[in-house]
Amino acid sequence: MKKSKIDAYELVTNKILGLLDKGEVPWRKPWTVAPGMRPQNATSKRPYSGINALVLAMSGYTDPRWLTFKNAQKLGGSVRKGEKGTPIVFWKQIKIKDANGETEEKTIPLLKYFNVFNAQQCDGLDLPAIETPAATNEFSPVEEAEKIIANMPNRPSIAHDGGDGAYYIPARDEIHLPAKTDFNGANEYYSTAFHEVGHSTGHAKRLNRHGQETGIAPFGTPTYSKEELAAEFTATFLCAESGIENTIENS
């Protein structure tokens, strides 16, 4: 691991901004909805989550497996000369002493990054062929999406009385949506619902993010922009988790 948390934030931010400058919206539908084909660690097979899943999915490789330089060697292979790694972040909560060096501790987040390589950037890896997950009739995207909303802890009230608008009211902790029949299909409905659910996570009852529970930040301000990104990322991850396509086009 190397460099500071500021560098880690900047690396991810610059990668996303670079794609936006090209006219690409990287969180629209960055990966296939098949769980087994999402970016994953090549050795543990554990899927990457959060911003790491998004960053790796934006890489353009078709193989979902990623590994470090040392792991490539442990698998009997090597990273090809000239290949560049993709930075992913690692974070955890750490305890530190107060400014006076007293024994009282407080917990702060620590963010660092390190580089990983896709299996397609390597030679000689002892890895099995990729197995595409088989389709199953037991999986219902709409059912899974409903479960996510129904099982949200400390869920805000959700009313389908929003006319032609969808919005979240922080002061009253309420989500208002048009009638389900007014949407052009389930994908559009759940994409919109997940977006508004994302806004509600900023309430003081939950993550207490940016003081959003006191009102709506003015359009175009840094707080407004950050909050919209939080809602967009929420919709992206929840759509992928429930197996539907994120269709929001007003990013």
Side-chain angles (χ1 to χ4, degrees):
M1 294 182 188
K2 48 189 175 181
K3 298 191 178 182
S4 69
K5 66 179 182 180
I6 295 178
D7 290 317
Y9 284 121
E10 288 179 348
L11 275 170
V12 175
T13 301
N14 290 339
K15 189 174 185 66
I16 292 175
L17 288 176
L19 289 171
L20 290 175
D21 286 340
K22 296 178 182 178
E24 300 177 29
V25 182
W27 54 84
R28 177 60 49 236
K29 189 184 178 185
W31 52 70
T32 174
V33 296
M37 294 301 289
R38 296 182 198 168
Q40 60 185 262
N41 183 283
T43 54
S44 69
K45 297 183 180 180
R46 181 179 178 180
Y48 289 98
S49 59
I51 198 67
N52 287 335
L54 189 68
V55 168
L56 296 178
M58 291 188 296
S59 67
Y61 293 105
T62 56
D63 194 310
R65 298 169 296 185
W66 295 82
L67 66 171
T68 63
F69 188 89
K70 289 184 178 180
N71 282 338
Q73 294 178 324
K74 290 181 180 180
L75 290 172
S78 62
V79 177
R80 283 194 297 275
K81 185 177 181 180
E83 294 286 353
K84 294 183 178 180
T86 300
I88 61 174
V89 297
F90 167 82
W91 81 277
K92 66 178 180 178
Q93 300 280 1
I94 61 172
K95 292 183 177 181
I96 62 172
K97 293 183 178 181
D98 64 18
N100 297 322
E102 302 294 334
T103 57
E104 182 180 355
E105 296 180 333
K106 64 179 181 179
T107 302
I108 64 171
L110 172 69
L111 183 70
K112 293 186 177 182
Y113 80 88
F114 58 96
N115 288 314
V116 292
F117 298 86
N118 187 267
Q120 291 178 327
Q121 296 178 279
C122 305
D123 293 318
L125 296 178
D126 184 15
L127 287 174
I130 300 175
E131 294 183 7
T132 303
T136 170
N137 293 326
E138 297 178 359
F139 180 79
S140 171
V142 174
E143 180 182 346
E144 294 301 314
E146 282 291 338
K147 286 181 181 179
I148 289 174
I149 295 177
N151 293 327
M152 178 183 177
N154 192 22
R155 187 175 68 253
S157 66
I158 301 177
H160 297 84
D161 60 355
D164 61 353
Y167 51 92
Y168 170 66
I169 303 177
R172 300 206 296 264
D173 195 27
E174 298 174 350
I175 292 175
H176 294 266
L177 299 166
K180 291 183 178 181
T181 53
D182 290 343
F183 288 88
N184 294 322
N187 287 352
E188 184 174 312
Y189 169 74
Y190 289 109
S191 295
T192 303
F194 287 153
H195 181 97
E196 301 307 328
V197 164
H199 280 309
S200 76
T201 62
H203 195 277
K205 295 179 182 178
R206 302 176 189 96
L207 300 180
N208 195 21
R209 182 176 61 245
H210 305 311
Q212 286 293 289
E213 72 281 359
T214 61
I216 300 296
F219 178 83
T221 61
T223 298
Y224 177 92
S225 300
K226 290 177 182 178
E227 187 59 26
E228 283 302 311
L229 277 175
E232 275 283 85
F233 282 128
T234 300
T236 292
F237 293 130
L238 294 184
C239 282
E241 188 67 27
S242 56
I244 64 176
E245 182 177 353
N246 184 2
T247 61
I248 297 177
E249 298 295 341
N250 61 350
S251 306

